[in-house]
């Protein structure tokens, strides 16, 4: 579904990605892990066209989207839950959700939108409760839920998630991973950036490990989970030490 | 004239002036809602509308109705062209940069109008006669009723547009967060273009309907912009009902001020009221403080 | 044990939403206390009330026995409370070092006239601000970035920068709002060490966090908030096994998860 | 001619430089533009006729933009950079007052095209003016009122230099002429509606209204009076001297009475009137060249420039002599009237320079 | 203050000293006097807008308050111009202080409007309080400055006076910028609430910088009054407030040097354009537009970037 070849992204003179190649097959969940500043966000932003200066090639459904505008890429069925949420802060929760489905309204898929909205409200009852609250005044976690909800409103074929569990209570974070599995079962392809590596390994099929702008390791998530180096670098001390 | 009659007349005067200001303020609101910019060239759109209408009716001698729509159309196109030429190419301009760009544009529009139509003040015949209507000893011009009617219609349409249509929401989304707007597939640049075109159109409408009362010349825009801006801010930027209410408040303050206190200080009186309101309610009369907090400007 | 912060019957309403609903608790000196609870429970709001971003609807906040809920935010900083933010708020167009130097503001004196005259005393003070801030930067490990614009740091680095800035105010009480959000497990561990080190300097810490690993590891006491009310309070272990807390916050799966790793 | 290609051999006479400062752009552009046009026309005319005693005339025109600071700079440029022999202008009272200290110090004759009396009262040795005096306008208005049996009036003035000076004259002269001012209102140059002020006037006992301003707002006053159904006569100042105003006012303008130079009513002037020839010629030439109606403002520039030209012709390029010449000019026939200057009077006109005009069918005619 | 700034100041002082030698002509000096006077205002505005992030569309009023206080006191009450200048500073500073506290609670466009309204009210007072101000007609014969027995009368005298003050004001401003206070100002620009929570008394500094910038404008106003010796309200209206903001933006907001460059450009440019008669406003508008479009950070930043590229 997505193929990236030798992607280099720049912020001014700073090179954030130094030749990344990866691919995501239709129906997969692929996880992307890496330390802070490794370039994960940059990668996701590059895919949706938010990074203006890049070289290499990004193919989505066999179409070259390397230098297309975010709008065109979104129109092809890609959706991103961005880092830092990027809500429409002065607008209400409901307006944020409605705008999530902007492209679909343009395509007049009214009834699908309605049912998706219901599903989202079911998944995140808080959002329904706060539908007319100004988004900027939501609590951090509520905002994160809204960001996810908004991304889902576009009914994406390919969903990019940048640290979706950030700032969420454990119960909700677990809930999010459930939702990710559900979406996967319903046929959505997912590329997931996650700091909670254990959880990421658990839900994903394959994982790429990225360090200072390069892919340093890749493979089936099951396998990487048992890789000693990965364990040390990304899983840390085992939970039990913490809990005991 | 009895005091009561006078009072009523002041009220009518205030409503007339207020409606003019309110119309100008609506134009400010549109661009503000979609971009967060205060377009100081808004007054020039008003001027262009009025001058264009006079030109089409008096010089080209087109019928009123045709001229009316044609003027709006032309000014709308000018607004759109301005956006394409001067706003569109900018990458991520600061608010001050934008303000100065709109100031520069207003200089250009003013100069253009001066060359096109000269420096004289022009008038336009009212839409339906000049005979004042008298109500309980006070009089009001039929044109004022036109202004009120068209303003009411404009406000209603704008409320519907921004509150209920997807495009309207998308416009507000652009002002709130451009990155996010492009992430949900909104064509931000088109929305900005649309907002400039729309506000130019509304500005032109304002210019056309007020010219029979207020006259028009190439230099009129700045003052109208200042008044419109005051009214938009007093009402709460982005609030269209606020703009209308604030327009009437400023208009009535001015006319009562002129009537009962001092015509020299009437503008000052209205502005003092404006300042007091802002000091008590920093986001304007009908502006939402909550929303305002999440706006940079 | 003397309480450094005492919160009594604290309440905050936003329109119809009661974000904080009659909360009482105390924080003792040199303690690390954690507040946990579901999203929207009112944790950040409590922080906002303490640092007077918004006024409480009712209730009192005492710091070192003095009521502070009517003071201006900067006075509260001067009294010795500082904080970090859930959504990082660094001064983006200032350099990393300057960000920290702003934190030093409330511990220094030179005012505008001294600045205009550029007195010797002022220059000396400026040097002290500079040195102290640099020290704080190396404490969080950002000294190499000191001349970068803060906006060029990653999210995580910005969080560290907020730490340094908060520490530069020489607080007695530090409020940390989700310091570990977005951190990987090893990074969160580092953060835990970091929090310990801050306590060692003699700073009391009040912490909001969803990363249970961190909470369990560092905190002496935990209070659990739900819908603006305290539903449990105690040591990490007590709280962790509290039925109500499991039901509204931790969830069965999390405990399962822990068990799973254990086995 | 072939000499054109051999400039070294041809020795053109030195041009006489005269400065002109007009409000060509800015809020009073409609006032400065006819002045500028007139200046250009005169320059061409004089040079086509062989210049002044063989010297070409060079009129250097500067714009005030309606701003005192810019005007001062313009004057300094003319004086120090261009070294002009005399300056005509500025167009407006405020800007004229701003340049007076400069010409006085630099000793350059200035002939203002602005009306305010304060420009020449008290007399300043280097400053003259061509428009008729405010006080004369006020007196003429009051005299006309008395003939009509009016004794209680309301005044409404624009808050510009011109309006303000007019207001002062109206108030000063009222007691002498036994006129009582029962309402005194003002309006800003950009006001869109004066019904509030007029309502107040309507409620007073005023038997007539005097509107004194040059801004377009004076037309709105007429319209608003009509709206309020005020039947009392409306007098305007000489600032109304632009046929465009009468046209813009339309029906509301009918019957307005105002004092004005004879330029605008030249057609109704007797053939043997001493000004007739000058007026008719200026009007014809101006209207042919610029395809627009003459206004009294252009006439003020005409008078100023011709005074300077006459002086140059007689005394040559010497600032002091030009000043002296103008100060002693008698019976100079200008568009504004017959000028008789003296060391005590740098305005040179009497109140007879004014004719009382009225608006009839959107035209100016002499009031009977 | 860094070495670079000290060097720049020295260079500026040198240029200022030398310029009149090259430009004997009083017209050019006259223009440069205005550049200096306007620079005083824009330096203050750049502190207020560029550093602290607070918009003011009313600074022409402070300029006017300085000019009128100075002019009225010296002309009608016989106060010495220097004392009148000081009085202007106190009056203007006082008024700025009174409106600063409520006005600076406002943000963004609301603050812009409040300052605009204030400026307009002051303008109306200049027009209406005619017993003092002469109303729209204004008043003249304002005495000039004296140094001991020496009367400053020519443009050269004023040139040196004004530019000496510009250098002093620059020095003062640079000292503030590079101090603890300057840092606080910038933190307010970046995030007022955050700055407050981090211990910066934001209200105090905003008021201080507002008053300071008003005082600079007042100083400029007094110089203007005693230089031009005639005052009427027109130069102190809304239009000039906008021109001032444009000067700051064109030069580059975030630098006092930029503010000076802007003042110079927008004062000198119209003089060049005089030759174009009516077309000048079109050219002026276009140049303003193009600068803001292609150098949105202002000329100063643009020039710096060019210099860096050259290296
Ligand atoms: N807007 C920007 N301007 C300049 N440099 C940037 C910008 N955004 C990111 N960077 C740099 O690019 C590198 C990669 O950043 P990125 O945000 O992609 O990392 P990440 O892996 O998502 O980190 P995190 O886990 O903290 O979110 C970092 O070194 C960062 O400093
Ligand atoms: N200005 C406001 N207007 C309305 N509701 C608000 C406002 N600010 C906060 N709230 C609501 O108050 C509640 C408490 O918010 P708070 O930010 O304190 O939660 P939190 O415990 O920090 O949650 P999280 O863990 O998600 O950050 C939330 O439901 C939020 O929506
Ligand atoms: Mg990231
Ligand atoms: Mg929170």
């Amino acid at each position: 579904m997505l193929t990236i070849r030798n992607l280099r992204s720049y912020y001014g003179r700073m090179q954030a990605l130094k030749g990344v190649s990866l691919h995501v097959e239709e129906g997969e969940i692929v996880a992307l892990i890496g330390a802070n500043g490794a370039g994960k966000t940059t990668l996701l932003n590059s895919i949706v066209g938010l990074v203006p200066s890049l070289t290499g090639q990004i193919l989505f459904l066999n179409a070259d989207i390397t230098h297309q505008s975010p709008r065109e890429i979104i129109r092809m069925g890609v959706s991103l839950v961005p880092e830092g949420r990027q809500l429409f802060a002065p607008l209400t929760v409901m307006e944020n959700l409605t705008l999530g489905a902007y492209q679909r309204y343009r395509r007049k898929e009214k009834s699908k939108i309605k049912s998706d909205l219901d599903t989202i409200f079911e998944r995140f009852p808080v959002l329904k409760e706060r539908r007319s609250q100004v988004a900027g005044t939501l609590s951090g976690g509520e905002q994160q839920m809204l960001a996810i909800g908004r991304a889902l409103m576009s009914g994406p074929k390919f969903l990019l998630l940048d640290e979706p569990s950030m700032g969420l209570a454990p119960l909700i974070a677990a809930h999010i991973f459930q939702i990710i599995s559900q979406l996967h079962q319903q046929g959505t392809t997912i590329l997931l950036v996650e700091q909670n590596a254990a959880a990421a390994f658990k839900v994903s099929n394959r994982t790429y490990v990225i360090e200072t702008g390069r892919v340093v390791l890749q493979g089936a998530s099951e396998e990487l989970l048992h890789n000693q180096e990965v364990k040390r670098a990304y899983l840390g001390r085992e939970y039990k030490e913490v809990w005991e | 004239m009895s005091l009561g009659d006078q009072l009523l007349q002041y009220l009518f005067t205030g409503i007339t002036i207020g409606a003019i200001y309110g119309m100008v303020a609506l134009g400010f609101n549109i661009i503000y809602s979609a971009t967060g910019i205060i377009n100081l060239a808004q007054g020039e759109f008003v001027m262009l509308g009025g001058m264009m209408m006079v030109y089409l009716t008096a010089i080209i001698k087109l019928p009123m109705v045709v001229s009316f729509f044609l003027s709006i159309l032309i000014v709308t196109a000018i607004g759109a062209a301005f956006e394409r030429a001067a706003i569109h190419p900018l990458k991520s301009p600061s608010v001050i940069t934008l303000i100065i760009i709109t100031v520069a544009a207003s200089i250009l529009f003013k100069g253009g109008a001066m060359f096109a139509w000269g420096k004289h003040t022009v008038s336009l015949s009212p839409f339906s006669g000049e005979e004042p209507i008298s109500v309980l000893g006070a009089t009001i011009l039929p044109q004022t009723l036109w202004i009120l009617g068209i303003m009411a219609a404009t406000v209603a349409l704008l409320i519907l547009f921004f509150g209920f249509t997807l495009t309207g929401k998308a416009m507000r989304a652009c002002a709130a967060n451009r990155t996010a707007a492009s992430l949900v597939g909104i064509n931000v640049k088109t929305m900005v273009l649309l907002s400039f075109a729309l506000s130019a159109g509304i500005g032109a409408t304002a210019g056309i309907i007020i010219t029979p009362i207020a006259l028009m010349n190439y230099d009129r825009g700045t003052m109208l912009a200042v008044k419109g801006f005051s009214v938009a801010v007093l009402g709460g930027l982005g609030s269209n009902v606020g703009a209308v209410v604030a327009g009437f408040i400023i208009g009535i303050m001015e006319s009562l001020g002129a009537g009962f206190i001092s015509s020299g200080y009437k503008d000052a009186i209205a502005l003092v009221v404006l300042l007091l309101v802002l000091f008590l309610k920093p986001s304007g009369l009908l502006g939402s403080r909550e929303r305002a907090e999440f706006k940079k400007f | 044990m003397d309480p450094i912060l005492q919160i009594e019957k604290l309440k905050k309403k936003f329109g119809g939403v009661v974000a904080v609903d009659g909360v009482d608790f105390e924080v003792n000196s040199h303690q690390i206390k954690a507040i946990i609870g579901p999203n929207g429970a009112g944790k950040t709001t409590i922080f906002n009330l303490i640092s007077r971003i918004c006024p409480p609807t009712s209730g009192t906040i005492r710091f070192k026995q003095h009521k502070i809920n009517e003071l201006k935010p900067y006075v509260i900083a001067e009294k010795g409370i500082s904080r970090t933010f859930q959504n990082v708020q660094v001064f983006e167009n200032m350099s990393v070092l300057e960000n920290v130097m702003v934190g030093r503001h409330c511990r220094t004196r030179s005012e505008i006239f001294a600045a205009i005259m550029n007195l010797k005393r002022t220059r000396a003070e400026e040097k002290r601000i500079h040195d102290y801030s640099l020290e704080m930067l190396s404490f969080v490990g950002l000294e190499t970035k000191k001349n970068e614009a803060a906006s060029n740091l990653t999210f995580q680095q910005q969080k560290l920068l907020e730490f340094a800035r908060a520490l530069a105010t020489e607080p007695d009480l530090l409020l940390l709002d989700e310091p570990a959000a977005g951190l990987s497990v090893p990074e969160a561990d580092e953060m835990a060490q970091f929090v310990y080190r801050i306590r060692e300097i003699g700073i009391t810490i009040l912490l909001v966090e969803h990363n249970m690993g961190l909470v369990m590891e560092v905190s002496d006491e935990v209070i659990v908030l739900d819908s603006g009310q305290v539903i449990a309070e105690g040591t990490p272990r007590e709280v962790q096994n509290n039925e109500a807390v499991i039901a509204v916050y931790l969830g069965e799966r999390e405990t399962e998860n822990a068990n799973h790793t254990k086995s | 001619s072939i000499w054109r290609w051999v400039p070294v051999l041809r020795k053109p006479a030195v041009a006489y430089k005269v400065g002109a400062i007009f409000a060509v752009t800015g809020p009073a552009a409609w006032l400065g533009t006819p002045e500028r046009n007139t200046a250009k026309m005169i320059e061409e005319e004089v040079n086509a006729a062989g210049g002044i005693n063989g010297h070409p005339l060079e009129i250097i025109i500067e714009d005030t933009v309606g701003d005192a600071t810019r005007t001062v700079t313009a004057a300094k440029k003319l004086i120090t950079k261009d070294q002009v022999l005399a300056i005509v202008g500025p167009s407006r009272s405020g800007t004229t007052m701003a340049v007076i200290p400069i010409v006085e110090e630099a000793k350059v004759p200035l002939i203002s095209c602005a009306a305010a009396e304060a420009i020449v009262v008290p007399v300043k040795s280097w400053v003259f003016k061509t428009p008729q005096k405010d006080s004369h306008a006020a007196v003429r208005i009051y005299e006309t009122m008395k003939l009509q049996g009016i004794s209680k009036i309301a005044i409404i003035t624009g808050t510009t230099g011109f309006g303000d000076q007019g207001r002062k004259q109206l108030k000063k002269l009222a007691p002498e002429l036994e006129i009582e001012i029962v309402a005194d209102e003002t309006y800003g140059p950009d006001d869109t509606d004066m019904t509030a002020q007029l309502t107040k006037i309507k409620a007073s006992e005023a038997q007539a209204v005097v509107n004194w301003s040059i801004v377009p707002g004076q037309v709105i006053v007429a319209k608003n009076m009509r709206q309020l159904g005020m039947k009392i006569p409306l007098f305007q100042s000489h600032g109304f001297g632009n046929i465009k105003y009468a046209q813009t006012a339309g029906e509301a303008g009918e019957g307005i009475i105002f004092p004005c130079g004879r330029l605008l009513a030249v057609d109704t002037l007797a053939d043997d009137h001493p000004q007739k020839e000058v007026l008719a010629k200026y009007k014809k030439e101006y209207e042919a060249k610029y395809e627009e109606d003459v206004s009294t403002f252009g006439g003020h520039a005409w008078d100023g420039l011709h005074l300077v030209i006459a002086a140059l012709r007689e005394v040559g390029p010497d600032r002091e002599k030009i000043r002296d010449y103008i100060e002693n000019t008698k019976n100079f026939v200008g568009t504004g009237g017959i000028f008789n200057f003296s060391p005590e009077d740098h305005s040179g006109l009497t109140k007879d320079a004014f004719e009382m005009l009225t608006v009839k069918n959107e035209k100016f005619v002499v009031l009977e | 203050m860094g070495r670079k700034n000290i060097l720049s100041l020295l260079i500026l002082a040198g240029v200022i000293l030398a310029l009149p030698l090259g430009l004997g002509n009083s017209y050019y000096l006259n223009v440069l006097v205005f550049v200096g006077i306007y620079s005083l205002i824009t330096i203050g505005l750049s502190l207020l807008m560029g550093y602290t992030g607070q918009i003011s569309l009313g600074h022409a009023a402070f300029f006017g308050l300085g000019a009128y206080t100075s002019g009225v006191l010296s002309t009608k009450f016989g106060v010495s111009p220097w004392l009148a200048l000081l009085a202007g500073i106190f009056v203007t500073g006082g008024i700025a202080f009174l409106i600063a506290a409520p006005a600076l609670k406002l943000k963004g466009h609301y603050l812009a409007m409040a300052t605009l309204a204030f400026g307009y009210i002051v303008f109306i007072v200049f027009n209406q309080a005619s017993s003092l101000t002469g109303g729209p007609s204004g008043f003249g014969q304002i005495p000039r400055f004296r140094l001991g027995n020496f009367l400053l009368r020519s443009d050269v005298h004023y040139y040196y006076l004004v530019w000496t003050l510009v250098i002093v004001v620059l020095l003062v401003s640079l000292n503030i910028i590079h101090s603890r206070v300057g840092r606080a100002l910038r933190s307010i620009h970046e995030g007022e609430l955050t700055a407050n929570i981090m211990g910066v008394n934001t209200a105090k500094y905003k008021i201080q910088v507002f008053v300071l910038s008003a005082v600079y404008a007042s100083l400029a106003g007094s110089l203007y009054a005693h230089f031009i010796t005639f005052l009427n309200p027109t130069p102190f209206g809304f239009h000039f407030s906008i021109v001032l903001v444009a000067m700051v933006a064109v030069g580059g907001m975030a630098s006092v040097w930029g503010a000076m460059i802007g003042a110079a450009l927008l004062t000198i440019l119209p003089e060049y354009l005089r030759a174009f008669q009516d077309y000048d406003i079109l050219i002026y508008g276009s140049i303003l537009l193009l600068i803001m479009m292609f150098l949105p950070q202002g000329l100063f930043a643009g020039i710096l970037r060019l210099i860096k590229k050259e290296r």
Side-chain angles (χ1 to χ4, degrees), chain E residues 280-293:
Chain E
D280 63 348
I281 77 167
L282 289 182
I283 300 172
Y284 180 84
S286 310
I287 290 177
L288 193 57
L289 188 72
L290 292 176
I291 292 177
M292 290 327 288
M293 280 178 68

mmCIF file of all heavy atoms in Angstrom, chain E residues 280-293:
data_model
loop_
_atom_site.group_PDB
_atom_site.id
_atom_site.type_symbol
_atom_site.label_atom_id
_atom_site.label_comp_id
_atom_site.label_asym_id
_atom_site.label_seq_id
_atom_site.Cartn_x
_atom_site.Cartn_y
_atom_site.Cartn_z
ATOM 1 N N ASP E 280 2.921 59.215 -7.164
ATOM 2 C CA ASP E 280 3.735 58.831 -6.022
ATOM 3 C C ASP E 280 3.013 57.868 -5.095
ATOM 4 O O ASP E 280 3.616 56.933 -4.589
ATOM 5 C CB ASP E 280 4.257 60.064 -5.274
ATOM 6 C CG ASP E 280 3.131 60.891 -4.685
ATOM 7 O OD1 ASP E 280 1.967 60.639 -5.044
ATOM 8 O OD2 ASP E 280 3.420 61.782 -3.875
ATOM 9 N N ILE E 281 1.712 58.060 -4.900
ATOM 10 C CA ILE E 281 1.090 57.169 -3.921
ATOM 11 C C ILE E 281 1.009 55.738 -4.446
ATOM 12 O O ILE E 281 1.112 54.796 -3.693
ATOM 13 C CB ILE E 281 -0.281 57.672 -3.392
ATOM 14 C CG1 ILE E 281 -1.404 57.456 -4.380
ATOM 15 C CG2 ILE E 281 -0.224 59.091 -2.947
ATOM 16 C CD1 ILE E 281 -2.754 57.666 -3.699
ATOM 17 N N LEU E 282 0.872 55.596 -5.749
ATOM 18 C CA LEU E 282 0.867 54.238 -6.302
ATOM 19 C C LEU E 282 2.237 53.593 -6.113
ATOM 20 O O LEU E 282 2.345 52.423 -5.720
ATOM 21 C CB LEU E 282 0.507 54.260 -7.787
ATOM 22 C CG LEU E 282 -0.946 54.606 -8.100
ATOM 23 C CD1 LEU E 282 -1.201 54.538 -9.593
ATOM 24 C CD2 LEU E 282 -1.880 53.643 -7.378
ATOM 25 N N ILE E 283 3.279 54.354 -6.391
ATOM 26 C CA ILE E 283 4.623 53.792 -6.264
ATOM 27 C C ILE E 283 4.919 53.476 -4.803
ATOM 28 O O ILE E 283 5.414 52.400 -4.463
ATOM 29 C CB ILE E 283 5.661 54.772 -6.837
ATOM 30 C CG1 ILE E 283 5.348 55.020 -8.315
ATOM 31 C CG2 ILE E 283 7.062 54.216 -6.674
ATOM 32 C CD1 ILE E 283 6.190 56.113 -8.927
ATOM 33 N N TYR E 284 4.566 54.424 -3.946
ATOM 34 C CA TYR E 284 4.777 54.233 -2.518
ATOM 35 C C TYR E 284 4.062 52.969 -2.030
ATOM 36 O O TYR E 284 4.647 52.109 -1.375
ATOM 37 C CB TYR E 284 4.244 55.467 -1.791
ATOM 38 C CG TYR E 284 4.369 55.443 -0.301
ATOM 39 C CD1 TYR E 284 5.547 55.825 0.317
ATOM 40 C CD2 TYR E 284 3.291 55.056 0.506
ATOM 41 C CE1 TYR E 284 5.665 55.831 1.692
ATOM 42 C CE2 TYR E 284 3.405 55.058 1.884
ATOM 43 C CZ TYR E 284 4.584 55.443 2.473
ATOM 44 O OH TYR E 284 4.696 55.438 3.833
ATOM 45 N N GLY E 285 2.788 52.852 -2.411
ATOM 46 C CA GLY E 285 2.017 51.672 -2.014
ATOM 47 C C GLY E 285 2.658 50.398 -2.531
ATOM 48 O O GLY E 285 2.783 49.409 -1.800
ATOM 49 N N SER E 286 3.099 50.415 -3.772
ATOM 50 C CA SER E 286 3.685 49.204 -4.351
ATOM 51 C C SER E 286 4.969 48.826 -3.629
ATOM 52 O O SER E 286 5.205 47.645 -3.335
ATOM 53 C CB SER E 286 4.014 49.412 -5.823
ATOM 54 O OG SER E 286 2.907 49.932 -6.487
ATOM 55 N N ILE E 287 5.798 49.833 -3.338
ATOM 56 C CA ILE E 287 7.061 49.506 -2.675
ATOM 57 C C ILE E 287 6.793 48.915 -1.296
ATOM 58 O O ILE E 287 7.364 47.887 -0.912
ATOM 59 C CB ILE E 287 7.950 50.773 -2.580
ATOM 60 C CG1 ILE E 287 8.434 51.145 -3.981
ATOM 61 C CG2 ILE E 287 9.135 50.528 -1.661
ATOM 62 C CD1 ILE E 287 9.263 52.401 -4.040
ATOM 63 N N LEU E 288 5.871 49.530 -0.586
ATOM 64 C CA LEU E 288 5.510 49.011 0.740
ATOM 65 C C LEU E 288 5.037 47.565 0.628
ATOM 66 O O LEU E 288 5.453 46.675 1.383
ATOM 67 C CB LEU E 288 4.402 49.899 1.313
ATOM 68 C CG LEU E 288 4.073 49.742 2.789
ATOM 69 C CD1 LEU E 288 5.314 49.981 3.616
ATOM 70 C CD2 LEU E 288 2.978 50.721 3.189
ATOM 71 N N LEU E 289 4.182 47.336 -0.350
ATOM 72 C CA LEU E 289 3.629 45.996 -0.543
ATOM 73 C C LEU E 289 4.733 44.987 -0.861
ATOM 74 O O LEU E 289 4.805 43.905 -0.279
ATOM 75 C CB LEU E 289 2.610 46.042 -1.679
ATOM 76 C CG LEU E 289 1.792 44.781 -1.915
ATOM 77 C CD1 LEU E 289 0.792 44.609 -0.791
ATOM 78 C CD2 LEU E 289 1.050 44.856 -3.232
ATOM 79 N N LEU E 290 5.591 45.369 -1.777
ATOM 80 C CA LEU E 290 6.635 44.434 -2.202
ATOM 81 C C LEU E 290 7.593 44.120 -1.054
ATOM 82 O O LEU E 290 7.981 42.963 -0.865
ATOM 83 C CB LEU E 290 7.396 45.001 -3.401
ATOM 84 C CG LEU E 290 6.527 45.072 -4.665
ATOM 85 C CD1 LEU E 290 7.286 45.729 -5.801
ATOM 86 C CD2 LEU E 290 6.059 43.673 -5.072
ATOM 87 N N ILE E 291 7.954 45.148 -0.291
ATOM 88 C CA ILE E 291 8.862 44.879 0.824
ATOM 89 C C ILE E 291 8.228 43.881 1.784
ATOM 90 O O ILE E 291 8.850 42.904 2.202
ATOM 91 C CB ILE E 291 9.201 46.178 1.592
ATOM 92 C CG1 ILE E 291 10.042 47.090 0.702
ATOM 93 C CG2 ILE E 291 9.958 45.861 2.869
ATOM 94 C CD1 ILE E 291 10.362 48.417 1.339
ATOM 95 N N MET E 292 6.955 44.114 2.119
ATOM 96 C CA MET E 292 6.323 43.222 3.081
ATOM 97 C C MET E 292 6.125 41.819 2.505
ATOM 98 O O MET E 292 6.127 40.840 3.232
ATOM 99 C CB MET E 292 4.974 43.785 3.547
ATOM 100 C CG MET E 292 5.060 45.009 4.424
ATOM 101 S SD MET E 292 6.475 45.104 5.514
ATOM 102 C CE MET E 292 6.087 43.880 6.721
ATOM 103 N N MET E 293 5.954 41.753 1.190
ATOM 104 C CA MET E 293 5.752 40.425 0.602
ATOM 105 C C MET E 293 7.054 39.643 0.527
ATOM 106 O O MET E 293 7.090 38.449 0.803
ATOM 107 C CB MET E 293 5.154 40.551 -0.801
ATOM 108 C CG MET E 293 3.659 40.790 -0.784
ATOM 109 S SD MET E 293 3.017 40.977 -2.440
ATOM 110 C CE MET E 293 3.242 39.316 -3.077
#
